[in-house]
Amino acid sequence: MIIILGSDKDEHCIHVAKSLEKINEKYIFLDTRDYPQNVLINWRADLYNEGCITINNTKIDFKDIKSVYWRNFYGVKYEKIDDGENTNFLSSMIHRERKSALYSLFHSLDLNWVNSINAFELHKKKAYLTNILNSNNIRVPKTLITNDKDNIIDFFEQNNNEVIVKPVLGGAYTEKIEKDNLTNDRLDLLKVSPVQFQEFIDGIDIRVYAYKNKLFALKIISDTVDFRQDLNAKLIPIELPEIVRNDCFKVMKLLELKYSGIDIRLNKKGEYVFIEANPAPMFIHVENITKFPLTNSLIELLTE
């Protein structure tokens, strides 16, 4: 049995499910928004992989789970439990218990995770991820995380007024900032939360799909700072230099990834600058354009 972690309405989950059907592999969707009412766990935490999970009345022994495709983890929903004056306390306590039980299970199950909860939790700490790569001689953008407005001006000037801004966690488009944007009113908003600033890497976007020992690379020709905003971006297959291929595999190992969409920028000096490594990248559109065997490569990982 292969578990598809995500929604049965998600395009990529459906695509993977149909691909598994073609080779007669059994699968089931696990949408954590159904937990705990329609997802039951029975787990002997003191024993190795001993227990079962019941998903919408289908019982699956842990030993029968071949792999997990981690597409979307919706977390554990917060549910308000009405108990008079103790409502907020009780609701928070129950939510903590639900979350701890599920997260502990995901951390403990020794399965073929594609990818693991460790990899996904690391991905949520993008600044730490950048630090890990830089500490291991992987070229990354100069990056500042701050809620101190005085430091932003210095960083902006140190990078020749060529700076982008993005959320620390991610989830929004990257934007280039202009000096005119650095007004006191806007900078004062930093008191609400730190923001991530990076040097702008002027060059070509490269996306690498990496699967354990396989790499498929393409360059993305776009007129926007963030190519995700350009519906007319051109996708062109390329071959990477051996040293960059090796760095991609190094990134995979450092970030505990079996499968990833790695974003790189090739700057004007010919340097390959690693931006991030996505543990659950979208791939259907890229496969349709490039004809890379991305689906088959993923299915091979899930069925090995």
Side-chain angles (χ1 to χ4, degrees), residues 197-211:
F197 298 89
Q198 287 184 332
E199 64 171 316
F200 172 64
I201 307 297
D202 189 11
I204 298 172
D205 285 298
I206 293 173
R207 162 58 69 94
V208 180
Y209 286 90
Y211 305 79

Side-chain angles (χ1 to χ4, degrees), residues 28-31 34 37-40 54-59:
I28 191 168
F29 292 100
L30 172 56
D31 187 331
D34 294 331
Q37 284 81 4
N38 296 309
V39 176
L40 309 178
T54 302
I55 304 171
N56 296 319
N57 298 317
T58 299
K59 181 180 177 181

Side-chain angles (χ1 to χ4, degrees), residues 29-197:
F29 292 100
L30 172 56
D31 187 331
T32 57
R33 292 172 295 190
D34 294 331
Y35 167 79
Q37 284 81 4
N38 296 309
V39 176
L40 309 178
I41 58 175
N42 291 283
W43 172 39
R44 280 291 302 272
D46 59 316
L47 299 176
Y48 176 80
N49 274 14
E50 184 69 32
C52 64
I53 184 169
T54 302
I55 304 171
N56 296 319
N57 298 317
T58 299
K59 181 180 177 181
I60 307 158
D61 287 334
F62 293 155
K63 67 179 185 305
D64 294 328
I65 300 173
K66 181 179 290 187
S67 60
V68 180
Y69 168 53
W70 189 306
R71 169 58 186 158
N72 281 315
F73 177 44
Y74 298 105
V76 177
K77 65 181 179 182
Y78 179 88
E79 187 177 11
K80 198 164 187 179
I81 309 298
D82 191 3
D83 188 35
E85 293 182 359
N86 294 319
T87 291
N88 290 335
F89 172 77
L90 181 61
S91 299
S92 296
M93 182 183 70
I94 289 175
H95 182 256
R96 289 198 306 269
E97 292 298 294
R98 290 174 174 176
K99 186 175 178 180
S100 179
L102 189 63
Y103 278 58
S104 295
L105 178 64
F106 282 3
H107 275 290
S108 300
L109 280 180
D110 187 15
L111 301 172
N112 178 27
W113 293 87
V114 184
N115 283 292
S116 71
I117 189 171
N118 289 338
F120 276 86
E121 289 192 341
L122 182 58
H123 184 64
K124 292 179 181 179
K125 304 175 179 68
K126 294 184 186 294
Y128 177 46
L129 182 153
T130 299
N131 187 264
I132 289 174
L133 298 186
N134 184 64
S135 298
N136 286 275
N137 299 314
I138 301 293
R139 170 77 159 91
V140 294
K142 298 171 186 174
T143 302
L144 173 69
I145 313 291
T146 186
N147 61 338
D148 183 343
K149 66 179 184 181
D150 293 335
N151 283 328
I152 296 173
I153 303 298
D154 291 340
F155 186 76
F156 194 75
E157 292 175 349
Q158 289 166 10
N159 288 282
N160 301 314
N161 298 347
E162 295 281 299
V163 173
I164 59 171
V165 60
K166 59 173 70 171
V168 179
L169 178 61
Y173 292 124
T174 298
E175 296 181 14
K176 193 174 180 184
I177 57 176
E178 305 296 336
K179 194 165 187 177
D180 292 344
N181 300 141
L182 302 179
T183 62
N184 281 326
D185 286 345
R186 294 198 68 178
L187 293 178
D188 282 340
L189 295 174
L190 287 172
K191 294 175 182 177
V192 177
S193 173
V195 176
Q196 179 173 210
F197 298 89

